[in-house]
Amino acid sequence: MSTNAKRYLEKTRGKLTLGQAIRSIRLCEEQSQTVFAKKLQISTQYLCDLEHDRKSVSPKKALRIAEILGYAPEQFVALAIQDSLNREHIHMLVEIKVA
């Protein structure tokens, strides 16, 4: 996801979450939740919960999802960690760099 795409999504929907990013990718690929969940090797219900920010993923799972979808892993991992901080009301921003 480009920086411009992220900025656009944040402008229209507020701070971007991993679930919102995954949903946007799925919709752009014009795939049903069932098909997309199979692609990610997760249940349809779990995908639905992710897309609606009811569930979160570990950084390791975010890495795996990024690899499956062909996106930059650092973006997905950063969003997963940021989601965790936001859920705990910890007001910090995450920045990930490849070592």
Side-chain angles (χ1 to χ4, degrees):
M1 179 177 307
S2 74
T3 303
N4 289 338
K6 184 178 178 203
R7 282 190 195 130
Y8 173 78
L9 287 170
E10 287 180 345
K11 225 183 227 185
T12 59
R13 306 212 68 193
K15 282 292 181 189
L16 182 66
T17 65
L18 181 57
Q20 291 169 348
I22 290 170
R23 183 171 194 269
S24 295
I25 292 166
R26 178 181 67 79
L27 292 174
C28 285
E29 292 183 10
E30 298 180 347
Q31 292 185 352
S32 69
Q33 283 185 331
T34 303
V35 170
F36 207 68
K38 285 180 185 175
K39 181 178 186 175
L40 297 179
Q41 301 167 359
I42 59 176
S43 72
T44 304
Q45 183 59 51
Y46 185 61
L47 176 59
C48 182
D49 287 340
L50 285 177
E51 288 185 354
H52 290 90
D53 297 320
R54 292 186 295 255
K55 298 274 183 171
S56 58
V57 300
S58 68
K60 188 173 186 175
K61 186 126 183 137
L63 174 69
R64 193 168 136 258
I65 291 171
E67 289 170 346
I68 291 170
L69 296 177
Y71 283 82
E74 55 273 11
Q75 289 179 322
F76 280 54
V77 171
L79 285 172
I81 295 169
Q82 190 67 59
D83 289 348
S84 295
L85 291 174
N86 292 345
R87 283 185 202 286
E88 298 294 327
H89 304 287
I90 299 173
H91 304 288
M92 295 181 180
L93 294 175
V94 175
E95 183 178 323
I96 301 285
K97 294 182 182 179
V98 178

